[in-house]
Amino acid sequence: NVGELVMIRDDNLLYMKGDVIQPMVGRGRWLLVDLESNAPAAAPFKSLASGQNDISMALYYLYGITGDVDASDGETIGGQPTTHYEMEIDLEGARDTIPEERAEALEDLIASLRTGGIDRSLDGEVWVGADGIVQRLRYTYRLGPEQGMGALTTVIDFSDFGAPLDLGIPRDDDVVPVEDAAPQ
């Protein structure tokens, strides 16, 4: 269990903070990785912004829904009452229905999961507001023997639709570039 890992992606910059990062940068500090860097220290972190962590693909997973979808009253998220849906998702099955402009990204995602020994079928949950807008997604991936079995859960909350985006980029003095971090 690596605990919670917070990631902020700003174009080609990836900021990370959490228990697994703390030994490298110190308590309360963020690790900064330039995803376009050729520095050897950056290489192990580049995959964290791709594959199942590519936030731009999260809604497209829903194209792979298989079987029945269970609906129930959801919680209130951001002041919006929701309906909660639970379903099985087969990412490989989404190939035939995903918009063509996202097909290559889906193929890359599937390949990274396969290489990582992660099942391409996952459990999905979505909370949809009365306005029809997705408020939250939760995906649970089943890990293979190479990752110690178990599961990996990703939760994505959506909010402030139409408002200017504030990523909450950490201050420069709270950031340690990966090249300056303590090796692991």
Side-chain angles (χ1 to χ4, degrees):
N1 184 355
V2 298
E4 183 175 317
L5 176 65
V6 177
M7 292 191 306
I8 300 171
R9 182 168 179 182
D10 182 18
D11 196 21
N12 66 325
L13 299 178
L14 182 64
Y15 298 86
M16 294 179 287
K17 181 179 181 179
D19 294 342
V20 71
I21 300 297
Q22 185 177 315
M24 299 174 63
V25 297
R27 182 173 295 282
R29 305 207 58 207
W30 292 79
L31 180 69
L32 173 62
V33 178
D34 182 341
L35 298 172
E36 294 180 351
S37 170
N38 291 325
F45 297 98
K46 289 183 178 185
S47 65
L48 292 176
S50 63
Q52 76 268 17
N53 295 318
D54 181 351
I55 193 77
S56 71
M57 290 298 295
L59 288 170
Y60 292 104
Y61 289 13
L62 299 174
Y63 281 84
I65 293 174
T66 61
D68 295 332
V69 176
D70 296 324
S72 61
D73 289 338
E75 59 196 90
T76 299
I77 301 173
Q80 177 81 237
T82 66
T83 301
H84 176 232
Y85 299 93
E86 296 181 69
M87 72 285 297
E88 289 290 320
I89 295 173
D90 177 9
L91 294 176
E92 295 194 45
R95 287 181 168 130
D96 297 333
T97 57
I98 195 167
E100 189 175 322
E101 66 272 9
R102 299 305 296 166
E104 184 176 343
L106 177 64
E107 289 298 330
D108 291 346
L109 167 70
I110 290 169
S112 71
L113 293 174
R114 185 178 293 117
T115 299
I118 300 172
D119 195 344
R120 275 81 60 207
S121 296
L122 50 130
D123 298 323
E125 297 177 75
V126 61
W127 288 258
V128 179
D131 56 4
I133 296 176
V134 173
Q135 301 292 315
R136 175 177 293 152
L137 294 169
R138 177 182 293 143
Y139 296 121
T140 302
Y141 303 85
R142 290 175 283 283
L143 304 178
E146 300 86 12
Q147 283 72 38
M149 303 301 283
L152 169 70
T153 301
T154 299
V155 179
I156 304 163
D157 284 335
F158 300 94
S159 63
D160 299 326
F161 300 97
L165 186 60
D166 177 9
L167 294 177
I169 302 295
R171 298 179 331 199
D172 287 345
D173 57 341
D174 290 335
V175 172
V176 177
V178 69
E179 295 84 0
D180 299 336
Q184 285 297 296

